[in-house]
Amino acid sequence: MGLLSVVCVSLFFSSTFAVDRGNFKTCDQSAFCKRQRALKPGQSPYRALLETLELSDSRLTLQLINDNNKVHLLLELYRLQGNMTRVKINELKPLRPRFEVPDVLIAEPPTEPLSVLSKDDNGVVLSLGAKNQRLIVSARPFRLDIMQGPEVLLSLNSRGLLAFEHLRLHKDTQAQPDGAEVKESVDGDQQQDEGEKDEDGESDKEEDGLWEETFKSHTDTKPNGPTSISLDFSLPGVEHVYGIPEHADDLKLKTTDGGDPYRLYNLDVFQYELYNPMALYGSIPVMLAHNTQRTMGIFWLNAAETWVDISSNTAGKTVFGKMLDFVQGSSEKPQTDVRWISESGIIDVFIMLGPKPSDVFSQYASLTGTQSFPPLASLGYHQCRWNYNDQEDVKSVDQGFDQHDIPYDFIWLDIEHADGKRYFTWDPHKFPQPKEMLQGLMDKRRKMVAIVDPHIRVDSGYKIHNEITSKDFYVKNKDGRNYEGWCWPGNSGYPDFTKPEMRAWWSSMFAYDQYEGSMENLFTWNDMNEPSVFNGPEVTMHKDALHGKWEHRDIHNIYGLYVQMATAEGQTQRSGGVERPFVLTRAFFAGSQRYGAVWTGDNAAEWDHLKISIPMCLSLGLVGVSFCGADVGGFFKNPSTELLVRWYQTGAYQPFFRAHAHLDTTRREPWLFGPENTALIREVIRQRYALLPYWYQLLYQAHKTGMPVMRPLWVDYPKDTATFTIDDEFLIGSDLLVHPVTEEGSRGVTAYLPGAGEVWYDVHTFQKHNGAQNLYIPVTLSSIPVFQRGGSIIPRKDRVRRSSACMENDPYTLYVALSPKTFFIQFCQFNSFIQYFYSISNFDSYTFLHLSNLCPDCNFLTSSWIEKVLILGASKPSKVLLKMDGKETPVDFEFDTSMSVLTLRKPGMNAGADWTLLLQ
């Protein structure tokens, strides 16, 4: 243990200054990536054997052959409901089964019939149904094109970079399973320049890294040999692609020519570098392509280490160069080419054809599910650090919020709260009475989060370890023994969450009679679930570790999803299915949105880290994970007071709002930076709480539809090219636009207000601005530029109390921003949820504001009422009448001529009633 402590401390402290890039592979250091990237475009050996085509009601199958090594592949094509196409490629007769990712799709996607329109020796044309969409299969070389009318929407293998390394026996292995095709070389050898080739085009030169690979001091044995796969996609007419988080980079993905591809491989990276394609904590293999005509998506369903190359024929061209092309009549059409490379598994790709952004979100949600609908309290403010020292410290911090009149909902405990970092326990000296502590919070209607990590201390006196051992639930090493590695507790075992039985047992540990000291206001944080292994290769698990019959290399990127899945299910079960869970995870994959929230990991107290939090969360929102946030103030280092205030102002307008800090930083509770800064932080936290009804409504919509909560401007303004690269401002829903101040010493920002013919209102001053303009906004340290879209109604609760639960029955204020159109919003009460239809119509002589229940048969009871209505951009009426229950009642009002704001005070309607306001 002494040696372990030295190693861990050394690793940690060296990383607090900058990430050690030498701990993590580049493409050249990853044998399969280097091998695949060496292939040259335009030399595909794959041919479609059209005579093998079989068509059923649900799918088309067709064999492909590699003419160099004669290995046959099986192509499966599916037309899916909702304007999607699925493409699967696997070996026709593999030596053994190849891994196919389970538990990510919410169900087997429903199909629609394919039909053959034409067929000849060169290929097959299939109908994709609506709007003259066709799928063309070309035989030699094999290629797929999806077309709409004369336009090519997307092509597969148009650059000839399909490569499928088939399973094979090592040269010194004799036995061969019956019926299996067995070759000794790598499929990519068809383009190899060195070495003599046999009659099948195979090279006799054994490449490094095929059967064994060493990185630093770690050797990865590869009993299955090389198994990587690759496929290229071409997107004509596309210059802008987004997604494939997690990377600390701009929203618009860059081309990777001349550098490393974007890497998807869940890793524990301390204080990550910015603006590069290195892998981080999570991986979602989904890319969106957008232009003024269409939005599409590519979902590459593979959980192994993956690299994504991007190239473009317009990359590097300046705006002047593009204008010159236009003036000179250049016929070159913009095109983006994307290539996916994975270490193992099969090719299983979903092509989401949109055409609108909302269609792509709906299509992806139909595959992997929507954002879980979180408890209201989790949308409030969270106070965290590594670590609050003991129960008295927790009590003192809790009292500090009350003394300084700052609301909050959750206080968090990191790893030091547990007894010797044995999760599901409490340190008997620091937290001797956890239920008393939790009850004290509950009395104030507040909650707590405690960390539960998936590395388990190897200790014969530890119940959790003993039960996992007795049930044989640990991951195994290549020799079949329990896999062990170093993490926070010291020598640790790693539960095999790929086993349903293990996940069910883990869930059962959150029962109140199992998790001693827990109560209904205790929730969970899953950290280090990449998984993090301090003494492992790239600070993670060895790839040749075993999860049953599968290697860790096959499942690596879904390990964290399984941890969060089991934890969320445990919280649901403990309440008998009554309460919604709240679980924060660091590692994630496609589908993680179904189980809780994600944060951007171990950032730093630097201005650039504040800036990057915006595109990082925007990227996550585009691929289903709406409940995202970053550590306010930065995890590492100590922020200046200006940076801290600006970070609170930014974080308050991101979905997950938590302050967090490293144990070596100075304490930074909101009241420790002088009364002026305390007041600024208090004000922005109160702004967050006032908007909780709007946040709750948006998370509900995300849960129902898959629409991102925090979203880039182009999602709502898809034809406005000025929005396509903006990632320093964003929309919250459709109706609030936020441009945080992220530059040190800033005296002004320029915000782009989209929408020709639209208007936007400053939420602080109510000043009206026209859309489709760049607006310069002078700022002070108290400024956070936020605008409400004309044609919207935003419900707020302006009576802010110490926690969200304390505001449950408080009245609403409606902020109505006028625009000459009819519109509606959804409105939600805090516990029971019900949809209401708000409409507003402007006529020459009157304005008509109406609310009605969209679910008239629902029994919606609430004590909340409408205490105020503010109408922005109004004219002064002669009178205002409230129509409700067949009666008309005059309503008192005030009109601010200078700002054109009409205020209706105490109209008195219950929030659950139907009513109409008539402004004459």
Side-chain angles (χ1 to χ4, degrees):
M1 280 297 295
L3 175 60
L4 170 63
S5 300
V6 171
V7 171
C8 290
V9 169
S10 173
L11 169 66
F12 192 81
F13 276 72
S14 66
S15 63
T16 60
F17 297 98
V19 64
D20 183 355
R21 297 193 68 173
N23 283 330
F24 304 103
K25 289 182 180 180
T26 63
C27 180
D28 274 349
Q29 294 169 315
S30 179
F32 80 92
C33 182
K34 182 179 181 180
R35 194 164 61 243
Q36 290 275 11
R37 221 180 184 202
L39 304 185
K40 298 179 176 61
Q43 301 178 21
S44 177
Y46 290 96
R47 174 167 53 92
L49 301 176
L50 298 180
E51 66 275 13
T52 65
L53 185 149
E54 295 183 8
L55 182 63
S56 69
D57 289 341
S58 62
R59 68 171 184 167
L60 176 147
T61 62
L62 183 67
Q63 290 184 32
L64 309 178
I65 187 171
N66 182 328
D67 280 329
N68 284 347
N69 61 25
K70 308 309 179 188
V71 171
H72 288 240
L73 304 178
L74 179 65
L75 168 71
E76 299 176 69
L77 297 176
Y78 301 82
R79 175 187 165 204
L80 303 182
Q81 290 182 11
N83 202 21
M84 294 181 287
T85 299
R86 185 180 191 179
V87 180
K88 293 181 73 174
I89 302 176
N90 198 353
E91 296 182 52
L92 179 65
K93 297 178 179 179
L95 191 65
R96 61 186 67 85
R98 297 179 69 114
F99 185 71
E100 299 186 38
V101 179
D103 302 315
V104 168
L105 301 179
I106 56 175
E108 193 62 25
T111 61
E112 294 183 337
L114 282 166
S115 60
V116 175
L117 297 177
S118 64
K119 178 182 177 183
D120 59 25
D121 291 342
N122 297 315
V124 182
V125 180
L126 304 166
S127 171
L128 290 179
K131 297 184 179 179
N132 197 25
Q133 286 184 354
R134 306 182 311 285
L135 175 61
I136 300 174
V137 183
S138 300
R140 186 190 293 267
F142 164 69
R143 168 176 171 154
L144 296 177
D145 292 282
I146 296 178
M147 302 188 67
Q148 182 164 309
E151 179 187 5
V152 177
L153 301 181
L154 177 144
S155 300
L156 287 73
N157 202 39
S158 60
R159 301 176 67 216
L161 293 173
L162 167 63
F164 205 105
E165 293 181 341
H166 59 280
L167 292 166
R168 71 213 67 201
L169 297 176
H170 201 266
K171 289 180 178 179
D172 56 3
T173 304
Q174 300 300 318
Q176 300 181 10
D178 291 339
E181 293 184 297
V182 182
K183 302 287 183 180
E184 292 185 355
S185 68
V186 182
D187 294 10
D189 285 347
Q190 70 268 11
Q191 298 178 21
Q192 187 172 320
D193 294 327
E194 300 176 11
E196 296 297 325
K197 298 187 178 180
D198 63 23
E199 60 183 0
D200 290 335
E202 303 290 357
S203 172
D204 61 6
K205 179 176 181 286
E206 174 104 2
E207 293 185 54
D208 291 337
L210 296 181
W211 296 90
E212 186 174 275
E213 182 175 354
T214 298
F215 177 68
K216 302 185 76 170
S217 62
H218 300 282
T219 297
D220 173 20
T221 62
K222 300 181 179 181
N224 294 324
T227 58
S228 68
I229 56 175
S230 166
L231 184 61
D232 65 278
F233 300 77
S234 293
L235 299 157
V238 169
E239 294 184 77
H240 299 84
V241 289
Y242 312 89
I244 58 169
E246 185 177 34
H247 300 97
D249 210 341
D250 296 324
L251 174 65
K252 177 184 179 290
L253 296 171
K254 300 181 177 74
T255 59
T256 57
D257 299 329
D260 259 10
Y262 285 95
R263 192 182 187 200
L264 296 173
Y265 190 59
N266 295 1
L267 292 172
D268 179 1
V269 184
F270 287 124
Q271 194 178 339
Y272 44 83
E273 289 185 8
L274 308 184
Y275 305 106
N276 70 58
M278 287 179 65
L280 289 178
Y281 311 98
S283 302
I284 300 182
V286 177
M287 180 181 290
L288 273 65
H290 178 72
N291 61 24
T292 57
Q293 302 303 311
R294 179 179 290 270
T295 307
M296 296 185 294
I298 299 170
F299 173 27
W300 177 268
L301 182 52
N302 190 293
E305 178 184 351
T306 297
W307 301 78
V308 185
D309 254 326
I310 301 171
S311 60
S312 170
N313 63 358
T314 58
K317 285 191 178 181
T318 63
V319 174
F320 176 76
K322 293 179 182 179
M323 291 176 61
L324 188 62
D325 285 347
F326 178 78
V327 172
Q328 293 177 344
S330 171
S331 61
E332 183 179 32
K333 185 177 184 179
Q335 178 168 305
T336 296
D337 297 308
V338 180
R339 186 185 183 199
W340 300 75
I341 305 168
S342 292
E343 185 175 12
S344 64
I346 69 165
I347 292 173
D348 190 1
V349 61
F350 297 82
I351 300 165
M352 300 169 284
L353 294 172
K356 301 190 299 292
S358 58
D359 294 327
V360 174
F361 301 137
S362 176
Q363 289 157 0
Y364 180 63
S366 74
L367 298 173
T368 67
T370 60
Q371 176 66 59
S372 61
F373 186 36
L376 172 71
S378 65
L379 297 175
Y381 174 63
H382 300 249
Q383 182 66 36
C384 182
R385 78 172 279 111
W386 178 23
N387 199 88
Y388 286 115
N389 300 323
D390 49 33
Q391 283 186 220
E392 284 304 309
D393 198 8
V394 169
K395 184 177 180 181
S396 175
V397 171
D398 177 68
Q399 291 173 342
F401 278 91
D402 293 335
Q403 292 165 1
H404 295 89
D405 193 23
I406 300 174
Y408 89 98
D409 268 88
F410 281 85
I411 189 165
W412 291 53
L413 295 180
D414 211 317
I415 55 177
E416 312 301 336
H417 85 278
D419 182 12
K421 302 179 179 64
R422 300 172 181 87
Y423 306 111
F424 297 101
T425 72
W426 304 86
D427 186 300
H429 305 292
K430 298 177 181 178
F431 297 92
Q433 297 175 310
K435 283 193 173 182
E436 179 183 296
M437 174 179 63
L438 288 166
Q439 186 63 52
L441 294 172
M442 188 179 290
D443 292 343
K444 296 184 178 182
R445 307 186 76 176
R446 288 173 174 152
K447 307 179 191 300
M448 173 174 278
V449 170
I451 200 166
V452 178
D453 287 349
H455 48 260
I456 303 301
R457 180 168 175 164
V458 176
D459 178 354
S460 60
Y462 180 22
K463 181 187 80 169
I464 298 294
H465 166 69
N466 290 339
E467 289 202 28
I468 295 175
T469 301
S470 68
K471 296 176 184 296
D472 199 26
F473 282 164
Y474 276 125
V475 176
K476 306 301 180 184
N477 63 24
K478 63 183 179 181
D479 300 321
R481 294 171 295 164
N482 288 345
Y483 177 91
E484 295 182 0
W486 294 345
C487 210
W488 296 125
N491 197 35
S492 302
Y494 290 79
D496 188 353
F497 284 90
T498 68
K499 293 182 176 181
E501 302 86 355
M502 167 61 212
R503 296 198 299 272
W505 174 84
W506 181 268
S507 297
S508 73
M509 290 298 100
F510 289 91
Y512 299 124
D513 61 350
Q514 294 293 327
Y515 190 169
E516 186 176 351
S518 66
M519 293 176 58
E520 56 266 36
N521 63 333
L522 180 67
F523 296 83
T524 311
W525 171 18
N526 292 148
D527 198 1
M528 316 297 284
N529 53 335
E530 293 75 28
S532 178
V533 183
F534 290 161
N535 61 333
E538 300 193 89
V539 201
T540 193
M541 188 172 286
H542 292 72
K543 288 182 175 179
D544 54 10
L546 296 174
H547 302 259
K549 66 180 180 179
W550 302 112
E551 288 188 290
H552 185 72
R553 81 179 74 251
D554 299 313
I555 67 93
H556 176 84
N557 284 342
I558 55 172
Y559 187 86
L561 176 148
Y562 278 133
V563 176
Q564 189 185 24
M565 175 194 294
T567 302
E569 180 60 27
Q571 286 188 9
T572 302
Q573 288 178 5
R574 73 180 186 180
S575 69
V578 175
E579 296 292 334
R580 283 171 278 155
F582 171 70
V583 182
L584 179 71
T585 182
R586 190 170 71 175
F588 52 85
F589 190 67
S592 288
Q593 69 271 11
R594 304 197 299 264
Y595 304 110
V598 165
W599 95 107
T600 62
D602 295 340
N603 58 4
E606 299 172 358
W607 286 93
D608 281 346
H609 277 262
L610 168 58
K611 294 174 193 173
I612 209 70
S613 71
I614 299 173
M616 289 182 76
C617 278
L618 289 175
S619 295
L620 281 162
L622 289 176
V623 296
V625 181
S626 272
F627 204 5
C628 169
D631 286 345
V632 169
F635 178 67
F636 291 111
K637 304 183 181 179
N638 295 303
S640 66
T641 52
E642 181 190 6
L643 175 58
L644 185 64
V645 169
R646 291 302 191 199
W647 214 316
Y648 269 99
Q649 292 170 344
T650 303
Y653 286 92
Q654 294 176 345
F656 177 57
F657 183 27
R658 180 186 76 155
H660 185 37
H662 181 272
L663 59 81
D664 286 335
T665 62
T666 56
R667 293 290 286 253
R668 59 168 89 139
E669 283 72 42
W671 52 86
L672 297 179
F673 298 86
E676 292 184 1
N677 292 305
T678 299
L680 293 173
I681 295 171
R682 177 192 301 115
E683 171 57 26
V684 76
I685 295 177
R686 291 174 68 86
Q687 288 179 31
R688 171 64 171 228
Y689 274 77
L691 281 169
L692 281 179
Y694 184 62
W695 283 108
Y696 202 47
Q697 161 194 320
L698 292 177
L699 264 297
Y700 181 76
Q701 290 173 353
H703 175 62
K704 298 297 288 185
T705 69
M707 283 293 290
V709 171
M710 176 181 172
R711 61 184 74 153
L713 274 61
W714 63 260
V715 168
D716 284 74
Y717 299 89
K719 295 186 181 297
D720 186 349
T721 57
T723 66
F724 291 2
T725 59
I726 292 176
D727 62 7
D728 59 354
E729 65 182 75
F730 52 90
L731 292 168
I732 304 173
S734 295
D735 298 335
L736 285 182
L737 184 149
V738 185
H739 191 303
V741 182
T742 59
E743 294 283 348
E744 185 175 12
S746 179
R747 296 184 179 182
V749 298
T750 299
Y752 180 70
L753 303 181
E758 295 196 18
V759 294
W760 294 86
Y761 295 85
D762 186 311
V763 301
H764 306 297
T765 67
F766 304 139
Q767 185 174 355
K768 183 168 68 174
H769 304 278
N770 292 325
Q773 68 156 321
N774 288 299
L775 179 69
Y776 180 78
I777 308 158
V779 298
T780 65
L781 191 55
S782 65
S783 303
I784 171 68
V786 182
F787 300 87
Q788 181 175 344
R789 183 180 60 82
S792 67
I793 304 175
I794 291 183
R796 292 176 43 151
K797 289 205 167 188
D798 287 335
R799 298 188 188 184
V800 176
R801 304 188 190 274
R802 66 187 175 203
S803 72
S804 61
C806 295
M807 299 165 61
E808 179 179 342
N809 295 316
D810 284 349
Y812 292 93
T813 296
L814 302 183
Y815 287 74
V816 181
L818 288 187
S819 181
K821 61 180 69 175
T822 300
F823 56 90
F824 78 95
I825 68 167
Q826 291 180 340
F827 184 75
C828 60
Q829 176 65 11
F830 276 0
N831 286 334
S832 302
F833 187 88
I834 203 162
Q835 297 182 39
Y836 280 82
F837 177 84
Y838 280 87
S839 66
I840 200 162
S841 302
N842 292 328
F843 299 94
D844 291 339
S845 57
Y846 63 89
T847 297
F848 178 86
L849 174 63
H850 176 71
L851 179 144
S852 61
N853 188 349
L854 287 179
C855 181
D857 296 329
C858 298
N859 183 22
F860 178 55
L861 302 176
T862 177
S863 299
S864 296
W865 52 288
I866 310 297
E867 71 170 341
K868 190 188 299 184
V869 179
L870 273 72
I871 303 178
L872 316 182
S875 300
K876 183 177 181 180
S878 59
K879 61 180 178 180
V880 178
L881 296 176
L882 170 65
K883 294 185 176 183
M884 187 169 64
D885 298 330
K887 300 177 182 178
E888 289 190 0
T889 307
V891 177
D892 292 337
F893 65 88
E894 298 174 0
F895 183 72
D896 185 330
T897 305
S898 64
M899 296 305 298
S900 299
V901 175
L902 177 67
T903 303
L904 313 181
R905 297 190 180 278
K906 297 184 179 180
M909 307 87 77
N910 184 277
D914 292 1
W915 49 264
T916 299
L917 284 170
L918 184 64
L919 285 63
Q920 295 181 329

